[in-house]
Amino acid sequence: MDRAVIGIDYVRMIRDLREDADKTQAEIAAVLGTSQTMYARYERGANELPIRHLITLCKYYRVSSDYILGLHIEQKKR
């Protein structure tokens, strides 16, 4: 799978999860222990999401890393 496709999937997914939970970027940034500005950069794809933040988001939203990364969709296609 192309790395750019994975990037698009997780960027869209972290935004969608946040919006579905009715949370602001500042609220999620606080959960991650980072600034709203840095979190906004993750959502735009300007910075890669560190693995520690991925793990925290998985626990917070109660989803798998495969779900956030969009890998669950690829597995079903095979």
Side-chain angles (χ1 to χ4, degrees):
M1 180 178 221
D2 187 316
R3 184 177 173 160
V5 173
I6 292 173
I8 291 169
D9 287 344
Y10 92 78
V11 166
R12 182 179 6 200
M13 187 58 71
I14 63 173
R15 184 193 67 229
D16 290 348
L17 285 167
R18 178 182 58 78
E19 290 174 349
D20 289 347
D22 292 324
K23 299 295 181 183
T24 65
Q25 287 183 342
E27 289 171 318
I28 300 303
V31 168
L32 298 177
T34 193
S35 68
Q36 182 275 328
T37 302
M38 182 56 73
Y39 181 76
R41 292 180 62 80
Y42 299 146
E43 277 197 9
R44 285 195 321 271
N47 284 68
E48 288 188 8
L49 185 70
I51 190 73
R52 70 182 183 278
H53 291 334
L54 174 63
I55 293 166
T56 301
L57 290 174
C58 289
K59 290 177 182 178
Y60 182 79
Y61 293 121
R62 296 181 180 182
V63 297
S64 70
S65 58
D66 282 357
Y67 182 77
I68 290 179
L69 297 173
L71 299 176
H72 68 290
I73 296 166
E74 285 302 310
Q75 289 175 350
K76 289 180 182 177
K77 289 181 180 177
R78 289 182 183 185

